[in-house]
Amino acid sequence: MEVLLRNQWSSTTIFSPKLSNSTPPLPIQFLSLNPTSRSSSSFNLSTKLQLPSPFLPSVLYATQESQVGVEANNEIREWQMQDFYSLRKEVENISERVEEIRASAGLQQLEQELAALESKAADSSFWDDRARAQETLLSLTDIKDRIKLLAEFKAKVEDAETIVKITEEMDSIDTALLEEASSVIKELNKELDRFELTQLLAGPYDKEGAVITITAGAGGTDAQDWADMLLRMYVRWGEKQKYKTRVVEKSPGEEAGIKSATIEVEGRYAYGYLSGEKGTHRIVRQSPFNAKGLRQTSFSGVEVMPLLPEESTSVELPEEDLEISFSRAGGKGGQNVNKVETAVRITHIPTGVTVRCTEERSQLANKIKALSRLKAKLLVIALEQRASEIKQIRGDVVKAEWGQQIRNYVFHPYKLVKDVRTGIETSDIGSVMDGELEPFIKAYLKFKYTNTMTQSGQGV
């Protein structure tokens, strides 16, 4: 080894071993030694120096690894503090929002109404009028649910505020606590959005479940495939809302997709949310059923009616106003549905409104369910057309064709979903087809509420 010792004790330089002729010696820099040892011409390398292995030629420098580590920790802490300040601001904002919602909901008035209904339900003559008793119990359940929901909002805000206070008192930031608080705030925002939407739902059937009927329109096989895509979209929406969703009838297409399908969505406010989906839905895309891949425009109609129990539809339909026909249901269900005419189709002759029921195994059961759906459909149409009696309403068939669409879904040459009524649009068409309909539902309910208020003002 070639060692060079300088008499200037400000530093000492040692060259590492030469491993080959082509590898130049590498300098090793050491800090200054004790000046008192200047008279000594040598020192023990084995005790003073830690030389690198000859197989690992390297340079020993006074590195700044510790400084780099400190800087990295400081940077991480700075980011954590920014996240904390942002979270604290979100907690303050959502706390104010919860207080505003609790105040606008009239919590004190709700508690008074609850006490009055509970007193009425405890009366000995409560069940003398069974229909009114059922109505009172529904109102009682509704008020209890609202009070419970408002209490849950406050509890969740308090949980998030507690996490913020704990974090402020700690010497270091616990990222797990911040993530928990952030998750609480995110979920609470969604619940508040939904609660505010329910404030816009004041129709007599908005709290009920919903029956969605999808029918393929103009466009041939492409339209039938589009109807199947809409079926999946609404099923996925129902699942995300944690509603009980069931496809009760589906008529397959000749080549692909479906000719028609019926979905029952059981859950509170399902009809109120979905009522704005009624209408014609238009798709523009490169047809997968066209050998040349040409752009194709297709249509499908969507009808929505409330899912009402049989006893609640107090509508009398004369037999002479009904045209009832029977056919084989086909599909799953064994030999009975394929050999016996269990499927029922009922047409209300004065209006032309038609319903079809095939999901039950007996003709009688299908007839009862079809009548219930027909009554619900007539009630909704009468409400929309402001008719005082069923005989005053006009036919209300959704025409799945050009010029009737309420929403456009463009897959090609660009991606866009746009609601014609509200003007709301998004380019994230994949999420929409996966059931993310909240922006469209919310915009339509606000649009409908604004129109109602405007018409009320003009009427006054």
Side-chain angles (χ1 to χ4, degrees), residues 18-232:
K18 296 181 179 179
L19 297 183
S20 65
N21 294 333
S22 61
T23 304
L26 300 174
I28 305 174
Q29 189 74 27
F30 293 89
L31 299 175
S32 62
L33 300 176
N34 190 345
T36 58
S37 62
R38 182 176 293 183
S39 61
S40 175
S41 61
S42 64
F43 55 86
N44 190 344
L45 291 175
S46 64
T47 59
K48 299 291 184 179
L49 304 174
Q50 295 294 331
L51 297 178
S53 168
F55 301 103
L56 298 171
S58 60
V59 181
L60 297 180
Y61 290 101
T63 63
Q64 300 179 354
E65 292 183 359
S66 60
Q67 296 180 4
V68 172
V70 170
E71 291 176 359
N73 290 335
N74 289 339
E75 187 175 351
I76 292 173
R77 181 172 177 77
E78 184 178 346
W79 280 107
Q80 288 177 339
M81 291 302 295
Q82 290 180 4
D83 291 342
F84 170 70
Y85 293 142
S86 176
L87 176 66
R88 186 169 64 180
K89 186 65 176 176
E90 288 181 6
V91 171
E92 292 174 357
N93 291 338
I94 203 167
S95 178
E96 293 176 0
R97 186 181 178 192
V98 167
E99 289 304 318
E100 290 175 359
I101 286 178
R102 284 168 59 88
S104 63
L107 184 58
Q108 190 174 6
Q109 183 179 353
L110 287 174
E111 291 173 347
Q112 293 174 356
E113 291 179 8
L114 177 63
L117 289 173
E118 286 178 340
S119 176
K120 187 181 294 185
D123 193 285
S124 58
S125 60
F126 177 68
W127 288 103
D128 291 349
D129 189 339
R130 193 171 187 83
R132 181 169 293 181
Q134 289 286 355
E135 185 179 343
T136 301
L137 290 178
L138 287 175
S139 299
L140 186 63
T141 303
D142 181 46
I143 292 177
K144 282 183 176 180
D145 289 344
R146 289 169 69 84
I147 293 175
K148 180 182 177 182
L149 197 57
L150 292 171
E152 289 177 354
F153 292 162
K154 187 173 180 61
K156 289 182 179 181
V157 166
E158 289 175 348
D159 290 343
E161 289 175 340
T162 301
I163 292 175
V164 169
K165 291 179 181 178
I166 292 175
T167 305
E168 288 176 338
E169 296 172 357
M170 295 173 63
D171 295 332
S172 60
I173 294 178
D174 190 336
T175 55
L177 279 176
L178 292 185
E179 289 176 0
E180 180 183 351
S182 179
S183 176
V184 170
I185 294 301
K186 184 177 180 181
E187 188 63 28
L188 184 54
N189 268 318
K190 290 183 179 179
E191 292 177 3
L192 292 175
D193 288 341
R194 182 175 297 181
F195 183 82
E196 288 178 340
L197 279 183
T198 61
Q199 301 295 93
L200 304 177
L201 300 175
Y205 310 114
D206 285 347
K207 297 177 183 178
E208 306 295 339
V211 179
I212 308 172
T213 303
I214 304 170
T215 307
T221 304
D222 280 279
Q224 294 174 3
D225 186 56
W226 173 227
D228 197 21
M229 292 168 67
L230 289 175
L231 171 64
R232 179 187 179 278

Side-chain angles (χ1 to χ4, degrees), residues 2 22 50 53 99 125 127 148 212 225 249 265 316 321 329 342 349 364 386 394 402 404 449:
E2 180 181 357
S22 61
Q50 295 294 331
S53 168
E99 289 304 318
S125 60
W127 288 103
K148 180 182 177 182
I212 308 172
D225 186 56
E249 185 270 331
V265 184
E316 295 297 329
D321 288 348
T342 57
I349 298 174
L364 179 61
R386 299 184 178 182
R394 306 181 304 274
W402 181 268
Q404 303 295 322
Y449 180 79

Side-chain angles (χ1 to χ4, degrees), residues 22 60 65 125 127 150 152 211 215 219 224 233 241 268 294 305 324-325 337 340 358 404 427 433 457:
S22 61
L60 297 180
E65 292 183 359
S125 60
W127 288 103
L150 292 171
E152 289 177 354
V211 179
T215 307
Q224 294 174 3
M233 182 181 77
Q241 305 304 313
R268 199 161 186 78
L294 299 177
M305 67 187 81
I324 304 176
S325 59
V337 298
V340 182
T358 63
Q404 303 295 322
S427 59
M433 299 311 301

